[in-house]
Amino acid sequence: MQESRDRYKAMVDKLKEHNHKLTPQRLAIIRILSESKEHPSVEDISRRLQRDFPGVSEATVYRNVLLIKSLGEVLEIGFAGESTHYDGRKPHPHPHIVCIKCRKIIDPDLQSLKEMVEEITEESGFEVVTYRLDFFGICPGCRTMNA
Amino acid sequence: MQESRDRYKAMVDKLKEHNHKLTPQRLAIIRILSESKEHPSVEDISRRLQRDFPGVSEATVYRNVLLIKSLGEVLEIGFAGESTHYDGRKPHPHPHIVCIKCRKIIDPDLQSLKEMVEEITEESGFEVVTYRLDFFGICPGCRTMNA
DNA sequence: CCCTAAATAATATTTATTTGCATTTGTAAC
DNA sequence: GTTACAAATGCAAATAAATATTATTTAGGG
């Protein structure tokens, strides 16, 4: 998909810009990040990587994901209990809606978010830098299936 | 404070109701949970506990916090990187604002939350069951201090 | 092609949490 | 007040995720 290629290119450019080497492992990791819509964990990435690079170290995946995060090209999403997940397609904070039955995650567009940030600023005096918004519920599919 | 005592009593009642024994360690733990406004971690609780019970095992704290959580009397709040924190005063989901400088956590009252849930229901068809909302920013104190 | 800093693999370590097991202790019944 | 027994505790060892260490390899400029 075009979008995946754009993300891939953006990450490569950012790496070059900061004079980081383009190793095959690194490129494979950003390829996976740019193509994955399911918010993979380090373990997921590592597993997929084995196909092309049997024997990549998990530490390498950790280090690279961390590096790419520090460049602002991947979003870290830690759900309680599970290991941390990453979104390389939309690297900026955004709300999620997670289905507690099928685990599907969707990214809604919320008009009310802007208003909420304003309310926080007014009420608390905080300067909001970033946020983490996750709603958990039952998706339309699982609702009908179950009832 | 009255509120602390109410929370303490609610937790004791819930324990009795489910036929759990009221050991001194357990009572001390719920006392700390009911009095702490700062969302303590297991380690925090354990440290405070040493005052009254030199030698309480961390495992005991873990087990009790887990038990109390399973009774719905404490809210688990896991932030990336740090150990999990707990809120025994407001056991139901609520938004947080976290200062990224001093780590202070406050609980705002957001009018716009209801509206946001409505927007999600309409737009996505999800039935919202629970949520996790955290805003990160710089609190008024740290803003002036730093600039 | 050669050099050097950066990156990798493998291993060890740290930190948070959980579990197994022997011992102790609430608490309900006598 | 004793007794009985399941539940709770303490301790230590087991897991698990993430990070650090170090010797070796390699990307990429000159």
Side-chain angles (χ1 to χ4, degrees):
Chain A
M1 205 206 281
Q2 183 59 38
E3 208 182 320
S4 302
R5 253 177 290 134
D6 289 348
R7 288 298 306 133
Y8 181 82
K9 187 170 184 313
M11 293 193 215
V12 171
D13 289 348
K14 194 64 82 79
L15 284 169
K16 282 184 185 166
E17 187 188 324
H18 290 263
N19 301 313
H20 292 292
K21 293 181 180 174
L22 303 179
T23 65
Q25 295 93 328
R26 182 165 286 168
L27 292 173
I29 289 166
I30 69 175
R31 164 139 286 133
I32 290 170
L33 283 173
S34 66
E35 290 175 353
S36 301
K37 295 182 184 172
E38 350 71 54
H39 311 74
S41 65
V42 165
E43 205 200 328
D44 295 331
I45 297 169
S46 218
R47 194 173 332 108
R48 285 221 239 158
L49 213 48
Q50 298 305 320
R51 202 179 42 194
D52 303 311
F53 289 86
V56 264
S57 169
E58 288 230 319
T60 295
V61 183
Y62 272 105
R63 265 184 278 115
N64 277 293
V65 169
L66 212 63
L67 170 67
I68 298 164
K69 186 182 101 180
S70 78
L71 299 175
E73 292 294 329
V74 76
L75 178 70
E76 189 180 67
I77 317 162
F79 292 109
E82 325 173 37
S83 45
T84 309
H85 292 234
Y86 295 90
D87 187 344
R89 300 177 64 87
K90 295 173 72 177
H92 302 296
H94 58 274
H96 295 104
I97 312 181
V98 182
C99 180
I100 56 180
K101 297 261 186 191
C102 66
R103 282 275 129 192
K104 184 171 57 183
I105 300 173
I106 74 168
D107 299 343
D109 234 346
L110 298 177
Q111 302 307 316
S112 44
L113 177 56
K114 186 163 166 286
E115 187 186 339
M116 189 175 277
V117 172
E118 278 164 11
E119 193 181 349
I120 286 172
T121 307
E122 280 172 31
E123 181 180 312
S124 70
F126 269 62
E127 178 190 331
V128 174
V129 174
T130 185
Y131 59 82
R132 170 74 194 280
L133 301 195
D134 299 315
F135 291 86
F136 300 90
I138 305 173
C139 72
C142 291
R143 282 173 77 176
T144 55
M145 198 177 310
N146 153 50
Chain B
M1 205 207 280
Q2 183 59 39
E3 207 182 319
S4 302
R5 252 177 290 132
D6 289 348
R7 288 297 305 135
Y8 181 81
K9 188 171 183 314
M11 293 191 215
V12 171
D13 289 349
K14 195 64 82 82
L15 284 169
K16 283 183 183 166
E17 187 188 321
H18 289 261
N19 302 312
H20 293 291
K21 294 181 179 174
L22 303 178
T23 65
Q25 296 92 329
R26 182 165 286 168
L27 291 173
I29 289 166
I30 69 175
R31 164 139 285 131
I32 290 170
L33 283 173
S34 66
E35 289 175 353
S36 301
K37 296 181 185 172
E38 351 71 53
H39 310 74
S41 65
V42 166
E43 205 198 329
D44 295 330
I45 297 168
S46 219
R47 195 175 328 107
R48 286 222 238 156
L49 214 48
Q50 297 306 319
R51 200 179 44 194
D52 303 311
F53 289 86
V56 265
S57 170
E58 289 229 318
T60 296
V61 182
Y62 273 105
R63 275 185 291 230
N64 276 292
V65 168
L66 212 63
L67 171 68
I68 298 163
K69 186 183 102 180
S70 78
L71 299 174
E73 292 293 328
V74 76
L75 178 70
E76 189 179 66
I77 317 163
F79 292 109
E82 325 173 39
S83 46
T84 309
H85 292 234
Y86 294 90
D87 187 344
R89 308 188 110 242
K90 296 172 71 177
H92 301 295
H94 58 273
H96 295 104
I97 313 182
V98 182
C99 179
I100 56 180
K101 298 261 186 191
C102 67
R103 285 276 127 192
K104 184 171 57 181
I105 301 174
I106 75 168
D107 298 342
D109 234 345
L110 297 178
Q111 302 307 316
S112 44
L113 177 55
K114 186 164 166 288
E115 186 185 340
M116 189 175 277
V117 172
E118 279 165 11
E119 192 181 351
I120 286 171
T121 306
E122 280 173 32
E123 181 180 311
S124 70
F126 269 63
E127 178 190 333
V128 175
V129 173
T130 185
Y131 59 82
R132 173 73 194 276
L133 302 196
D134 300 316
F135 291 86
F136 301 90
I138 306 174
C139 72
C142 291
R143 282 175 75 175
T144 55
M145 197 178 310
N146 154 49

